[in-house]
Amino acid sequence: MRTVKLVTMLVIIMLLSGCWNRVELNELWVTVATGLDYRDGQWEITYQFIVPSAMASGTGGGMGNAAQAASHVHTVRAKTIHQGLNISNLETSRRIYVAHNRVIFIGKKAAEKGLDQLIDYYYRNSEARETVLMLFTEGRASEILKKLAPPEKLAGAAYAELINNENKRVSIFPSTSVYDFSLSLHSDGKGVGMPVAALIGEKSEKNQKELESLDAAKKTSTALKVALSKLAVFQEGRFVGFLNRKESQGLSWITDKIQSTELSFPCEDEHKKTQLSSLRINRSHTKLIPKYTGYHYTMQIKVKVDGSLVESGCKKDLSKPEEIEKLEEQIEKEIEKIIEEGWKGTQRLGVDAAGFGDIIHRKFPENWKNMKHNWPAEFRKMDIEVQVEALIRLPGLLQK
């Protein structure tokens, strides 16, 4: 009996061994970035995938004397996004694999058309991951994906790290993933922001073509580069307008998206703005408290920050506590101004990008039933009350 059981187990193990649906790496084009455009009634989907032979070389430029880029860009047009992925099999030697995609660029025409179909695609297909970061471009996404990002080999991976690095160290433009974007579609406010990637520098045709060739990697600097410039704001999945850098940072303060940043502030009041100091903010917390006065709503914004003084142009004796307190007051005033700028920007566009609707819904559920259908108009009537508490923990060794 034991022999029969042993033989049965061995047969089962042999049948279960191996991967019945395996796909070899040399049968795939691994995608690191994608782009979405809309032209002439069709979606234009662009894929930037890795060229393994170029990545394996010591210089990232191919084998022998034949230079080769570490990535290749392929564009396909179709009526639907998934159809485009399927049609790509007619034009490429390998299947395009999107599970390792890190960033998706949204062209302006596609953003104006609406991104409902993109969200539908990401949530219906197990291979596509909703953690992919999103970037907006005022031109065509396909054009910006053709540009290299020296000295990095893979431009798509470099753009994803650009967003992550900005969030950790600057916190001006709140990052948005496909998941975040989909949440905004089902939120009460239905507004969301998306960082804008743009080419900065000398925008001549020669410089743009150079950034598409390996010649760019042979230079110590390039005339053009991709950078984050402003924030694109969406309402119900469609693009409606932009927030500038200061307005976007104000929105980051309101939505508690400040991880770490540097704040420049004047040493004295308005008449002495030439003397500036800088505070490295290490910790920040924002609390939103809605209030109802009987005829409209007010959002109380309470901010607590602390940080280190990293630069001082003030002729102050910082060994005195009263001088530190004066600097903290200036920091509080500066943060209040930035928050006010962010609030004015969202009011100008009429988009609840800060999610105030969700907070009011939770606080006043009965009121929300009568107000939700008229929320955009009610949002424009709102006021804010800003309270900032700043603390300088480390003033530095140089105090006089």
Side-chain angles (χ1 to χ4, degrees):
M1 189 65 180
R2 290 181 62 187
T3 305
V4 174
K5 288 182 179 180
L6 182 61
V7 172
T8 304
M9 288 176 63
L10 289 172
V11 171
I12 292 172
I13 291 171
M14 292 177 67
L15 289 173
L16 291 176
S17 63
C19 299
W20 63 272
N21 64 341
R22 75 184 189 278
V23 179
E24 299 295 338
L25 188 60
N26 58 10
E27 298 174 9
L28 301 173
W29 286 125
V30 178
T31 304
V32 290
T34 56
L36 185 67
D37 294 300
Y38 191 77
R39 296 178 63 199
D40 303 325
Q42 286 190 315
W43 294 105
E44 189 175 81
I45 307 100
T46 303
Y47 303 96
Q48 184 186 91
F49 45 75
I50 300 170
V51 179
S53 59
M55 289 294 294
S57 67
T59 60
M63 296 169 14
N65 295 323
Q68 184 179 18
S71 62
H72 183 76
V73 175
H74 175 75
T75 301
V76 62
R77 299 181 68 189
K79 294 180 180 179
T80 68
I81 296 172
H82 196 274
Q83 185 187 50
L85 184 64
N86 191 45
I87 289 175
S88 68
N89 292 300
L90 303 175
E91 304 173 1
T92 59
S93 57
R94 307 181 188 183
R95 181 172 75 85
I96 293 178
Y97 183 65
V98 298
H100 291 289
N101 185 40
R102 298 193 60 186
V103 63
I104 177 168
F105 282 86
I106 307 297
K108 188 176 181 180
K109 294 293 184 183
E112 292 171 342
K113 169 70 176 174
L115 303 182
D116 294 7
Q117 191 171 327
L118 176 70
I119 300 302
D120 183 87
Y121 163 75
Y122 266 88
Y123 277 88
R124 289 189 189 276
N125 297 277
S126 58
E127 194 172 278
R129 299 179 183 179
E130 61 274 11
T131 55
V132 173
L133 296 170
M134 303 180 78
L135 280 174
F136 180 95
T137 176
E138 292 191 70
R140 288 169 56 192
S142 58
E143 289 301 315
I144 205 164
L145 279 178
K146 293 176 184 177
K147 306 294 188 289
L148 299 177
E152 301 289 346
K153 291 183 181 180
L154 295 175
Y159 299 144
E161 290 304 318
L162 174 65
I163 300 171
N164 292 330
N165 189 51
E166 192 278 339
N167 274 237
K168 291 177 183 177
R169 293 174 172 82
V170 188
S171 300
I172 293 176
F173 306 110
S175 65
T176 300
S177 65
V178 171
Y179 176 74
D180 298 326
F181 196 92
S182 65
L183 284 183
S184 75
L185 296 176
H186 299 281
S187 68
D188 294 310
K190 300 190 182 303
V192 70
M194 186 186 300
V196 177
L199 286 171
I200 62 171
E202 301 174 18
K203 296 182 182 179
S204 67
E205 185 177 348
K206 177 185 175 182
N207 291 337
Q208 294 202 43
K209 289 295 181 184
E210 182 183 76
L211 206 59
E212 296 177 14
S213 71
L214 283 176
D215 293 336
K218 298 175 183 177
K219 294 186 175 182
T220 56
S221 65
T222 56
L224 279 176
K225 59 184 175 183
V226 176
L228 302 181
S229 59
K230 48 190 172 182
L231 195 75
V233 179
F234 287 73
Q235 175 77 17
E236 296 185 355
R238 284 181 172 81
F239 167 70
V240 293
F242 295 109
L243 296 181
N244 61 35
R245 181 177 294 189
K246 199 163 189 177
E247 292 170 338
S248 178
Q249 190 174 34
L251 182 62
S252 293
W253 280 105
I254 294 171
T255 54
D256 199 23
K257 295 286 184 68
I258 301 291
Q259 294 187 43
S260 178
T261 189
E262 191 167 307
L263 181 74
S264 296
F265 60 94
C267 303
E268 300 288 348
D269 292 328
E270 299 292 327
H271 63 284
K272 287 188 178 179
K273 276 195 170 182
T274 53
Q275 296 178 350
L276 297 175
S277 295
S278 295
L279 182 79
R280 186 68 193 174
I281 293 173
N282 300 320
R283 278 183 293 272
S284 169
H285 177 66
T286 301
K287 186 176 182 180
L288 301 178
I289 305 170
K291 294 181 177 180
Y292 183 55
T293 59
Y295 60 95
H296 82 297
Y297 292 87
T298 299
M299 187 65 72
Q300 190 177 54
I301 304 172
K302 291 187 175 182
V303 180
K304 287 186 177 183
V305 299
D306 68 69
S308 307
L309 199 64
V310 294
E311 187 177 17
S312 178
C314 308
K315 296 178 180 179
K316 302 280 186 182
D317 185 354
L318 299 183
S319 62
K320 298 178 179 179
E322 60 269 23
E323 296 296 343
I324 294 292
E325 289 176 5
K326 288 179 182 179
L327 292 182
E328 290 172 344
E329 288 176 5
Q330 291 302 117
I331 292 167
E332 291 166 358
K333 289 178 183 178
E334 194 65 27
I335 294 174
E336 286 175 10
K337 288 178 185 177
I338 296 172
I339 291 175
E340 289 284 351
E341 287 288 329
W343 172 244
K344 289 176 183 177
T346 56
Q347 287 284 81
R348 170 173 51 83
L349 298 176
V351 178
D352 181 14
F356 284 2
D358 300 81
I359 298 169
I360 292 174
H361 185 182
R362 289 194 295 268
K363 181 72 173 181
F364 306 103
E366 292 301 320
N367 293 8
W368 182 258
K369 291 178 182 178
N370 302 321
M371 184 179 58
K372 62 181 179 181
H373 298 296
N374 197 36
W375 173 237
E378 192 67 37
F379 173 73
R380 290 182 181 273
K381 298 177 187 177
M382 285 190 68
D383 294 321
I384 61 170
E385 294 177 2
V386 185
Q387 297 178 12
V388 182
E389 183 182 332
L391 178 64
I392 298 176
R393 289 196 178 275
L394 298 173
L397 298 176
L398 188 62
Q399 295 181 343
K400 295 183 181 180

